[in-house]
Amino acid sequence: MAKWLDTAVFYEIYPQSFQDTNADGIGDFQGIIRRLDYIKELGCDAIWINPCFKSPFGDAGYDVADYYTVAPRYGTNEDLKQLFQEAHARDMHVLLDLVPGHTSTEHPWFKESMKVEKNEYTDRYIWTDNIWEAPDDMASLRGISARDGSCALNFFSCQPALNYGFYERTRPWQQAPGDPGPQATLAEMKNIMRFWLGLGCDGFRVDMAHSLVKNDPESKGTIALWQDVRAFLDREFPEAVLVSEWGEPDKSLRGGFHMDFLLHFGPSHYNDLFRCEEPFFSSRGKGDASAFVKKYLENRRKAGEDGMICIPSGNHDMDRLARSLHGDELKIAFAFLLSMPGAPFVYYGDEIGMRYVEGLASVEGGYNRTGSRSPMQWDGTPNAGFSAAAPEQLYIPQDPGADRPTAEEQMSREGSLWREVQKLISVRRKNPALGNKGSIRFVRAEENGYPLAYIRESGEQSILVILNPGREEAELPMEAAGQIRESVYRFGGEVKADRERNRYLVPGQSTGFYLL
Ligand code: GLC
Ligand code: CA
């Protein structure tokens, strides 16, 4: 198993918005290469790049038209190979984004599958056997082909579902996962993985990993499919890492994924912490972390100590963290994100509190997500250093605010969010108890209660993490928390021990990591 994952801290790069080097207003691979040192300096040593393959960009590249060739706007396959090499030279690792559930309607496979004559791609997608029948529970494309049938969609209308079969079959056109069509789709996906792993990528973040086998109420078929993929990787690329967009770690980790994301959808209560009317990390102090913790512990129990659950700072699908949290709230949220088990993921720009850009028109299928995808703000030069193109040529407009945060300004200022994130990552790296694999035990996660406190443990080391994002002083019973010694990290005021009443008094808007 890839050892590096045990200590990895990830940075998510939305490639079109990171760094443009040829003044066309769109980020590119050479731009990512140029900024690898920046990512390393922050403390991250692994990156996930959103899909960068040929695509008509009806859904920002999640509508792939050729899995074996990168989108020309980002460079060439050679550039991407160079990016892998440059990353490895810095002891960094790169995950690509694999989109196995669907392609673009522009993919040549789809065009072939629309034909009346039987061919190699007839069963590559899910088709009913006549135009008057639509697949149950799935949207479909109808009346666009000479072929008589409706084709199931996996997401947007430009994203027809690839055929991995049906776990439960009630209609004659539904194939079994073991049938030749679904097996050929799976074999092709393995070829694609083989191709990129062969060029030097270290693994994949897998898009909608839960979605492959249809009519699969308990996900048994989909889990079995991923187990098959893992067995193939174990034979040919045992070091390859798989991270899933699934949101149900008990299932994905059983399927052989190393790690699963908790996201803004699904049953995780992730939103309670950061993105709801009263987020737990708001200084108003009206939030509630208890449902999140309950669900998190349930997941951990099912996933086993070794299965990693990832709580990202955000991603290209959800509102920027800085839309609901501000100032010191962001620092305390990062203290949480960077002291939890599982590999942390920092969404580009979150380390400087990049804002959600309000009021943007949808770009490339972004809709409300567009505001979280605006180009990175590097410095005080035109286009914040993102691109030498004319500002109106940037493929998504930038935050127009005169006070928009930039990496350069924050890197040079003591007490900035960037410096705090950098410090937190380095504290995490120095203390094994805070690492990706250490254990966790919550000592305080009351309903509507502050602070949140938990103990992280690894080998000999035990660290108590106390987080009080609310403005009010809060108390923590001493007995449960244990005797604190020195702190390895502190932000805000200092915790006071009130021995008479057996409690710690935790100042408002503070956090600390204490050796026990
Ligand atoms: C995932 C991606 C999202 C995309 C969708 C369809 O949720 O993160 O950006 O639109 O899948 O591929
Ligand atoms: Ca460019």
Side-chain angles (χ1 to χ4, degrees), residues 14 16 57-62 155-156 316-319 356 360-373 395-396:
Y14 190 68
Q16 42 277 64
F57 292 95
D59 182 15
Y62 282 95
F155 201 67
F156 286 162
H316 60 290
D317 292 330
M318 54 177 116
D319 285 358
Y356 179 91
L360 292 182
S362 175
V363 176
E364 298 187 341
Y367 300 95
N368 66 310
R369 305 174 294 183
T370 308
S372 301
R373 299 173 173 186
Y395 100 104
I396 293 180

Side-chain angles (χ1 to χ4, degrees), residues 489-496 505-512 514:
Y489 174 78
R490 222 154 47 71
F491 174 79
E494 210 164 332
V495 166
K496 281 198 241 31
L505 295 171
V506 186
Q509 288 237 281
S510 75
T511 173
Y514 301 91

